[in-house]
Amino acid sequence: MTGTDALPYLAIDLGGSNTRLGLFATLATRDFTLLGAFPTQSSYIDQLERIQMLLRERGIGELAGAGVSVGARVARDGRSLVLGPNFPGYLGQPLEADLETRLGCPVRLGHDTVCGLLGERRFGALREAERTGYLTISTGTGAAIQLGKGETALISSIEFGHQILEGNERVCLCGQIGCLETFTGGRQLELRYGRPIAEFADNSFWQVFSAKLALGLLNLALLTRIDIVAVSGAIALENDFLLPLVQEKVNALLKWERLPLVRAELGTHAPLVGAASLLAVSAEMILH
Ligand SMILES: [Zn+2]
């Protein structure tokens, strides 16, 4: 399977702060070699050049394909970014075509939550499941869902963090009033309270945080009938108490459904493994 003459696959994790590149000898496993990382450039052209520079430095030549996980909404045709406060200089640029030209191989783009779900579906906590969700609790609160079986499954990112909670008068960074993310988004909470989320120790804060998140998950479960949610993101991964607390509240709210929340297994590797996984599934499976 891994003949020495087979071309490798490139995975790019294009995050709001940092960009990481990984090389996969095969798409059949989650194993990869980390090629390096650099601060995500605000200039779109500089970013393309940094990617090429890193590949040159590492002596990477011909590639079989490249998958890119981006922390921004991807256009419906999968070829550019259309919404993403961290990437103002990239919006509307032909990212897929420009990378294909510079890398000389087919390129696939995916929202980071879609990549996270794909990675967990192929190698992690969501194997074999037909109705699944992937939730990331980090600077923002994002999610993706998968409905369907095998190659007929559809995967879509959803605006989980921007569902409206009744009675919530907080203004969200997105401009709407009442979004869930005003209670659960790392960036919004830090702006609101003026300190890093890692310093939030008081129990009443986390009780409210988990209660709001549980309400959001209840809505998600009832609207989609997903059976399981893999949870990732820095806030979830760094606070071991959070998942059981949210699960307890979800259990109390859901009367005739169950919604197990499980820790995502790929952890910090999710974006790179998920980006490579874009190349392993048909483009028709993903709704951008
Ligand atoms: Zn919002």
Side-chain angles (χ1 to χ4, degrees):
M1 181 83 204
T2 57
T4 47
D5 51 355
L7 295 177
Y9 298 87
L10 176 69
I12 303 175
D13 168 17
L14 178 44
S17 310
N18 290 294
T19 298
R20 297 193 309 151
L21 269 59
L23 199 68
F24 289 71
T26 164
L27 298 177
T29 77
R30 53 188 274 189
D31 303 327
F32 66 92
T33 306
L34 186 65
L35 295 175
F38 55 85
T40 298
Q41 306 292 296
S42 55
S43 153
Y44 173 73
I45 294 296
D46 288 352
Q47 176 73 9
L48 295 177
E49 280 168 7
R50 283 297 292 266
I51 291 171
Q52 277 186 296
M53 199 193 306
L54 182 55
L55 292 174
R56 266 199 307 273
E57 285 168 11
R58 293 286 178 273
I60 308 301
E62 224 180 321
L63 296 163
V68 189
S69 164
V70 288
R73 189 190 287 178
V74 174
R76 293 195 178 204
D77 63 8
R79 297 190 170 161
S80 59
L81 310 185
V82 286
L83 196 65
N86 293 321
F87 301 93
Y90 294 48
L91 304 184
Q93 300 280 1
L95 180 59
E96 183 205 48
D98 284 343
L99 282 173
E100 284 186 345
T101 304
R102 286 171 183 255
L103 302 177
C105 67
V107 171
R108 299 274 304 277
L109 311 180
H111 191 270
D112 56 13
T113 55
V114 166
C115 293
L117 191 151
L118 261 181
E120 292 296 321
R121 178 183 200 262
R122 297 187 67 231
F123 302 113
L126 301 178
R127 273 172 279 198
E128 322 261 317
E130 292 174 6
R131 295 168 169 268
T132 69
Y134 175 90
L135 171 66
T136 173
I137 314 172
S138 184
T139 50
T141 312
I145 57 170
Q146 171 213 312
L147 298 175
K149 309 173 190 179
E151 285 293 301
T152 65
L154 288 176
I155 299 173
S156 177
S157 69
I158 58 173
E159 295 294 350
F160 178 82
H162 303 284
Q163 59 179 301
I164 305 298
L165 300 182
E166 190 191 3
N168 176 14
E169 291 176 356
R170 293 182 178 184
V171 179
C172 183
L173 290 179
C174 78
Q176 289 187 157
I177 296 168
C179 293
L180 168 64
E181 198 173 290
T182 61
F183 287 97
T184 58
R187 177 165 299 134
Q188 305 209 25
L189 290 168
E190 292 182 355
L191 286 171
R192 180 175 301 274
Y193 296 108
R195 57 202 167 100
I197 196 91
E199 293 175 11
F200 287 57
D202 98 75
N203 181 53
S204 63
F205 167 81
W206 289 108
Q207 289 294 339
V208 173
F209 184 106
S210 54
K212 301 298 183 186
L213 196 58
L215 209 47
L217 285 164
L218 171 85
N219 289 334
L220 179 64
L222 293 172
L223 291 172
T224 63
R225 289 186 48 220
I226 55 172
D227 295 325
I228 184 168
V229 178
V231 185
S232 192
I235 295 177
L237 297 177
E238 288 162 17
N239 295 284
D240 284 336
F241 65 88
L242 188 60
L243 210 50
L245 190 60
V246 179
Q247 182 75 69
E248 191 183 293
K249 294 185 192 305
V250 167
N251 292 350
L253 289 168
L254 277 174
K255 298 304 179 195
W256 35 267
E257 293 273 11
R258 300 272 307 138
L259 185 65
L261 309 176
V262 295
R263 192 180 165 93
E265 290 176 16
L266 297 177
T268 52
H269 294 329
L272 283 176
V273 176
S277 291
L278 288 169
L279 301 161
V281 301
S282 84
E284 282 68 37
M285 272 182 68
I286 298 180
L287 298 173
H288 291 292

Short mmCIF file of all heavy atoms in Angstrom, two decimals, residues 143-178:
data_model
loop_
_atom_site.label_atom_id
_atom_site.label_comp_id
_atom_site.label_asym_id
_atom_site.label_seq_id
_atom_site.Cartn_x
_atom_site.Cartn_y
_atom_site.Cartn_z
N ALA A 143 -19.75 23.56 14.87
CA ALA A 143 -20.15 22.16 14.78
C ALA A 143 -20.35 21.77 13.32
O ALA A 143 -20.47 22.61 12.44
CB ALA A 143 -21.45 21.92 15.56
N ALA A 144 -20.34 20.45 13.13
CA ALA A 144 -20.71 19.87 11.84
C ALA A 144 -21.55 18.65 12.14
O ALA A 144 -21.45 18.07 13.22
CB ALA A 144 -19.47 19.47 11.04
N ILE A 145 -22.39 18.28 11.19
CA ILE A 145 -23.18 17.06 11.36
C ILE A 145 -23.02 16.17 10.14
O ILE A 145 -22.69 16.65 9.04
CB ILE A 145 -24.69 17.35 11.58
CG1 ILE A 145 -25.27 18.17 10.42
CG2 ILE A 145 -24.91 18.06 12.90
CD1 ILE A 145 -26.78 18.28 10.45
N GLN A 146 -23.23 14.89 10.37
CA GLN A 146 -23.24 13.91 9.28
C GLN A 146 -24.53 13.13 9.38
O GLN A 146 -24.88 12.62 10.44
CB GLN A 146 -22.08 12.96 9.43
CG GLN A 146 -22.15 11.78 8.45
CD GLN A 146 -21.58 10.50 9.04
OE1 GLN A 146 -20.50 10.51 9.60
NE2 GLN A 146 -22.31 9.40 8.91
N LEU A 147 -25.25 13.05 8.28
CA LEU A 147 -26.45 12.22 8.22
C LEU A 147 -26.28 11.26 7.05
O LEU A 147 -25.94 11.68 5.95
CB LEU A 147 -27.70 13.07 8.00
CG LEU A 147 -28.04 14.09 9.09
CD1 LEU A 147 -29.24 14.94 8.67
CD2 LEU A 147 -28.32 13.42 10.42
N GLY A 148 -26.49 9.98 7.29
CA GLY A 148 -26.43 9.02 6.20
C GLY A 148 -25.40 7.95 6.43
O GLY A 148 -24.63 8.01 7.38
N LYS A 149 -25.41 6.98 5.51
CA LYS A 149 -24.55 5.81 5.66
C LYS A 149 -23.49 5.78 4.57
O LYS A 149 -23.77 6.15 3.43
CB LYS A 149 -25.39 4.54 5.52
CG LYS A 149 -26.61 4.50 6.39
CD LYS A 149 -27.45 3.28 6.05
CE LYS A 149 -28.81 3.36 6.75
NZ LYS A 149 -29.67 2.24 6.43
N GLY A 150 -22.34 5.26 4.93
CA GLY A 150 -21.29 5.00 3.96
C GLY A 150 -21.05 6.16 3.02
O GLY A 150 -21.01 7.32 3.43
N GLU A 151 -20.93 5.86 1.74
CA GLU A 151 -20.62 6.88 0.74
C GLU A 151 -21.81 7.78 0.42
O GLU A 151 -21.67 8.77 -0.29
CB GLU A 151 -20.12 6.21 -0.55
CG GLU A 151 -18.71 5.69 -0.45
CD GLU A 151 -17.67 6.81 -0.31
OE1 GLU A 151 -17.62 7.67 -1.20
OE2 GLU A 151 -16.94 6.84 0.69
N THR A 152 -22.99 7.43 0.93
CA THR A 152 -24.14 8.30 0.67
C THR A 152 -24.33 9.34 1.77
O THR A 152 -25.25 10.15 1.72
CB THR A 152 -25.45 7.48 0.56
OG1 THR A 152 -25.71 6.89 1.85
CG2 THR A 152 -25.35 6.40 -0.48
N ALA A 153 -23.47 9.30 2.78
CA ALA A 153 -23.61 10.25 3.88
C ALA A 153 -23.35 11.68 3.39
O ALA A 153 -22.60 11.90 2.45
CB ALA A 153 -22.62 9.89 4.98
N LEU A 154 -24.01 12.63 4.05
CA LEU A 154 -23.76 14.04 3.77
C LEU A 154 -23.19 14.67 5.03
O LEU A 154 -23.68 14.43 6.14
CB LEU A 154 -25.06 14.76 3.40
CG LEU A 154 -25.64 14.42 2.02
CD1 LEU A 154 -26.97 15.13 1.85
CD2 LEU A 154 -24.67 14.83 0.92
N ILE A 155 -22.17 15.48 4.85
CA ILE A 155 -21.54 16.17 5.98
C ILE A 155 -21.62 17.66 5.73
O ILE A 155 -21.31 18.13 4.63
CB ILE A 155 -20.06 15.74 6.13
CG1 ILE A 155 -19.99 14.23 6.40
CG2 ILE A 155 -19.38 16.53 7.23
CD1 ILE A 155 -18.57 13.68 6.39
N SER A 156 -22.09 18.40 6.73
CA SER A 156 -22.23 19.84 6.56
C SER A 156 -21.81 20.55 7.84
O SER A 156 -22.11 20.08 8.95
CB SER A 156 -23.69 20.18 6.25
OG SER A 156 -23.85 21.59 6.15
N SER A 157 -21.14 21.68 7.70
CA SER A 157 -20.91 22.50 8.89
C SER A 157 -22.20 23.25 9.17
O SER A 157 -22.99 23.53 8.26
CB SER A 157 -19.74 23.46 8.69
OG SER A 157 -20.06 24.45 7.76
N ILE A 158 -22.46 23.53 10.44
CA ILE A 158 -23.69 24.25 10.81
C ILE A 158 -23.32 25.40 11.74
O ILE A 158 -22.26 25.39 12.34
CB ILE A 158 -24.70 23.31 11.52
CG1 ILE A 158 -24.08 22.67 12.77
CG2 ILE A 158 -25.22 22.24 10.56
CD1 ILE A 158 -25.06 21.88 13.61
N GLU A 159 -24.21 26.39 11.85
CA GLU A 159 -23.92 27.54 12.70
C GLU A 159 -24.45 27.28 14.10
O GLU A 159 -25.32 28.00 14.61
CB GLU A 159 -24.53 28.82 12.09
CG GLU A 159 -23.92 29.21 10.75
CD GLU A 159 -22.44 29.63 10.86
OE1 GLU A 159 -21.94 29.79 11.99
OE2 GLU A 159 -21.82 29.78 9.80
N PHE A 160 -23.88 26.25 14.72
CA PHE A 160 -24.33 25.83 16.05
C PHE A 160 -24.22 26.96 17.08
O PHE A 160 -25.13 27.18 17.89
CB PHE A 160 -23.49 24.63 16.49
CG PHE A 160 -23.81 24.11 17.86
CD1 PHE A 160 -24.88 23.25 18.05
CD2 PHE A 160 -23.05 24.48 18.96
CE1 PHE A 160 -25.19 22.77 19.31
CE2 PHE A 160 -23.35 23.99 20.23
CZ PHE A 160 -24.42 23.15 20.41
N GLY A 161 -23.10 27.67 17.06
CA GLY A 161 -22.86 28.71 18.07
C GLY A 161 -23.75 29.93 17.90
O GLY A 161 -23.87 30.75 18.82
N HIS A 162 -24.40 30.05 16.74
CA HIS A 162 -25.22 31.23 16.49
C HIS A 162 -26.71 30.91 16.46
O HIS A 162 -27.51 31.65 15.88
CB HIS A 162 -24.75 31.93 15.21
CG HIS A 162 -23.30 32.30 15.29
ND1 HIS A 162 -22.86 33.39 16.02
CD2 HIS A 162 -22.20 31.68 14.81
CE1 HIS A 162 -21.52 33.42 15.96
NE2 HIS A 162 -21.11 32.41 15.24
N GLN A 163 -27.10 29.80 17.11
CA GLN A 163 -28.53 29.57 17.35
C GLN A 163 -28.94 30.50 18.49
O GLN A 163 -28.15 30.83 19.38
CB GLN A 163 -28.78 28.11 17.73
CG GLN A 163 -28.05 27.65 18.97
CD GLN A 163 -28.37 26.19 19.31
OE1 GLN A 163 -29.51 25.85 19.53
NE2 GLN A 163 -27.34 25.36 19.35
N ILE A 164 -30.19 30.93 18.43
CA ILE A 164 -30.67 31.93 19.40
C ILE A 164 -31.30 31.25 20.62
O ILE A 164 -32.12 30.35 20.48
CB ILE A 164 -31.73 32.84 18.74
CG1 ILE A 164 -31.16 33.50 17.47
CG2 ILE A 164 -32.22 33.90 19.72
CD1 ILE A 164 -29.97 34.39 17.68
N LEU A 165 -30.86 31.69 21.80
CA LEU A 165 -31.47 31.20 23.03
C LEU A 165 -32.47 32.24 23.51
O LEU A 165 -32.15 33.43 23.64
CB LEU A 165 -30.40 30.98 24.10
CG LEU A 165 -29.29 29.97 23.74
CD1 LEU A 165 -28.34 29.81 24.91
CD2 LEU A 165 -29.88 28.62 23.34
N GLU A 166 -33.69 31.79 23.78
CA GLU A 166 -34.74 32.71 24.19
C GLU A 166 -34.34 33.46 25.47
O GLU A 166 -33.77 32.88 26.40
CB GLU A 166 -36.03 31.94 24.46
CG GLU A 166 -37.21 32.87 24.64
CD GLU A 166 -38.45 32.15 25.16
OE1 GLU A 166 -38.37 30.94 25.42
OE2 GLU A 166 -39.47 32.82 25.30
N GLY A 167 -34.60 34.76 25.48
CA GLY A 167 -34.33 35.55 26.67
C GLY A 167 -32.89 36.03 26.78
O GLY A 167 -32.54 36.76 27.70
N ASN A 168 -32.04 35.64 25.83
CA ASN A 168 -30.64 36.07 25.86
C ASN A 168 -30.50 37.40 25.13
O ASN A 168 -30.73 37.48 23.93
CB ASN A 168 -29.77 34.99 25.18
CG ASN A 168 -28.31 35.41 25.09
OD1 ASN A 168 -27.88 36.36 25.75
ND2 ASN A 168 -27.56 34.69 24.28
N GLU A 169 -30.15 38.45 25.88
CA GLU A 169 -30.06 39.77 25.26
C GLU A 169 -28.64 40.17 24.92
O GLU A 169 -28.37 41.30 24.51
CB GLU A 169 -30.74 40.80 26.17
CG GLU A 169 -32.24 40.58 26.22
CD GLU A 169 -32.97 41.50 27.18
OE1 GLU A 169 -32.29 42.28 27.88
OE2 GLU A 169 -34.21 41.42 27.23
N ARG A 170 -27.70 39.25 25.11
CA ARG A 170 -26.31 39.57 24.81
C ARG A 170 -26.11 39.72 23.30
O ARG A 170 -26.63 38.94 22.51
CB ARG A 170 -25.38 38.47 25.31
CG ARG A 170 -25.34 38.35 26.82
CD ARG A 170 -24.35 37.27 27.23
NE ARG A 170 -24.25 37.18 28.68
CZ ARG A 170 -23.40 36.38 29.32
NH1 ARG A 170 -22.59 35.60 28.62
NH2 ARG A 170 -23.34 36.37 30.63
N VAL A 171 -25.32 40.74 22.93
CA VAL A 171 -25.01 40.95 21.51
C VAL A 171 -23.80 40.10 21.16
O VAL A 171 -22.76 40.16 21.82
CB VAL A 171 -24.73 42.44 21.23
CG1 VAL A 171 -24.39 42.63 19.75
CG2 VAL A 171 -25.92 43.30 21.62
N CYS A 172 -23.93 39.31 20.11
CA CYS A 172 -22.86 38.42 19.67
C CYS A 172 -21.88 39.18 18.77
O CYS A 172 -22.26 40.16 18.13
CB CYS A 172 -23.48 37.24 18.91
SG CYS A 172 -22.30 36.00 18.37
N LEU A 173 -20.66 38.70 18.70
CA LEU A 173 -19.68 39.30 17.79
C LEU A 173 -20.14 39.23 16.34
O LEU A 173 -19.67 39.98 15.50
CB LEU A 173 -18.32 38.60 17.93
CG LEU A 173 -17.55 38.83 19.23
CD1 LEU A 173 -16.25 38.04 19.21
CD2 LEU A 173 -17.29 40.30 19.46
N CYS A 174 -21.07 38.32 16.04
CA CYS A 174 -21.56 38.17 14.67
C CYS A 174 -22.60 39.23 14.32
O CYS A 174 -23.00 39.34 13.16
CB CYS A 174 -22.15 36.77 14.48
SG CYS A 174 -23.81 36.58 15.17
N GLY A 175 -23.08 39.97 15.34
CA GLY A 175 -24.07 41.01 15.07
C GLY A 175 -25.47 40.64 15.51
O GLY A 175 -26.32 41.52 15.72
N GLN A 176 -25.74 39.36 15.65
CA GLN A 176 -27.07 38.93 16.11
C GLN A 176 -27.18 39.14 17.62
O GLN A 176 -26.19 39.24 18.33
CB GLN A 176 -27.27 37.44 15.83
CG GLN A 176 -27.44 37.08 14.37
CD GLN A 176 -27.81 35.61 14.17
OE1 GLN A 176 -28.39 35.29 13.15
NE2 GLN A 176 -27.48 34.73 15.09
N ILE A 177 -28.41 39.16 18.11
CA ILE A 177 -28.65 39.24 19.55
C ILE A 177 -29.13 37.88 20.03
O ILE A 177 -30.04 37.30 19.43
CB ILE A 177 -29.69 40.32 19.87
CG1 ILE A 177 -29.13 41.70 19.47
CG2 ILE A 177 -30.06 40.31 21.36
CD1 ILE A 177 -30.17 42.80 19.48
N GLY A 178 -28.48 37.37 21.10
CA GLY A 178 -28.99 36.16 21.73
C GLY A 178 -28.32 34.86 21.35
O GLY A 178 -28.81 33.78 21.70
#
